[in-house]
Amino acid sequence: MAHAVSTPGTPTGARTGPGTPRRTRPDVLGKKSHLLVKWAMPVAAALVYGYWVASVRRHGGPITTTNLLYGFMAMLAFAILYFAIRAVGRRLPREGHAALWGAFAGSALGFIYSGSGVAMFTCILASLLLAGAVTAALVYHYYTRHDAQDAQDARDAQNTRDAPAARAARAT
């Protein structure tokens, strides 16, 4: 019984070359949905963060105007920093991008945790642990995802360079 053998470099054995379309993940949502999620998720996260800051600051007491203002300002700062980091992070190398998000996560936790009245050393320790964990996870994520993308781009470039020679060889 004969079995098909996959071609090296392709998981399914499908032919690759300059005329073969690249396989991509299916896109379930449209462009408008992606744009909505791109803006709605950070805004929703900022609203949750602002509410969380306000609830930690009031220590179970009554809701006051200053408490609401404090939560709103925390929400606004979170959203502005999130969008700024997202815009600047793309221009940084992988490690810098990961460290920036780690610092953001650690400082956001530290700000909330410091409002609860715990010792400052505990607050700093928790912030550093979260920042380190987020940075390590994102460095791993960026290296595994970007290395695969870089390898695919190199294969596509090689196939494009080899295409004229392959056509000339087939024509003769």
Side-chain angles (χ1 to χ4, degrees), residues 110 112-127:
I112 287 178
Y113 201 33
S114 67
S116 66
V118 299
M120 192 54 65
F121 177 75
T122 308
C123 175
I124 291 171
L125 182 64
S127 298

Side-chain angles (χ1 to χ4, degrees), residues 22-142:
R22 278 180 66 176
R23 290 184 183 209
T24 58
R25 288 184 236 147
D27 191 10
V28 180
L29 303 175
K31 288 187 178 191
K32 287 183 181 179
S33 299
H34 281 287
L35 184 64
L36 178 69
V37 169
K38 180 180 176 181
W39 287 96
M41 288 299 290
V43 170
L47 286 169
V48 168
Y49 185 80
Y51 174 75
W52 193 6
V53 166
S55 67
V56 167
R57 183 170 168 87
R58 67 185 173 100
H59 299 292
I63 298 174
T64 62
T65 306
T66 56
N67 187 278
L68 289 175
L69 181 64
Y70 192 77
F72 179 74
M73 295 306 286
M75 177 208 63
L76 191 62
F78 183 92
I80 290 170
L81 285 173
Y82 185 96
F83 287 120
I85 289 172
R86 194 168 71 182
V88 171
R90 293 184 184 126
R91 299 183 192 125
L92 296 176
R94 297 173 192 162
E95 298 86 3
H97 192 182
L100 193 61
W101 280 113
F104 176 69
S107 60
L109 175 71
F111 182 71
I112 287 178
Y113 201 33
S114 67
S116 66
V118 299
M120 192 54 65
F121 177 75
T122 308
C123 175
I124 291 171
L125 182 64
S127 298
L128 287 176
L129 287 174
L130 179 68
V134 168
T135 301
L138 286 177
V139 164
Y140 174 77
H141 172 73
Y142 293 148

Side-chain angles (χ1 to χ4, degrees), residues 162-171:
D162 292 345
R167 273 189 247 126
R170 281 192 301 253

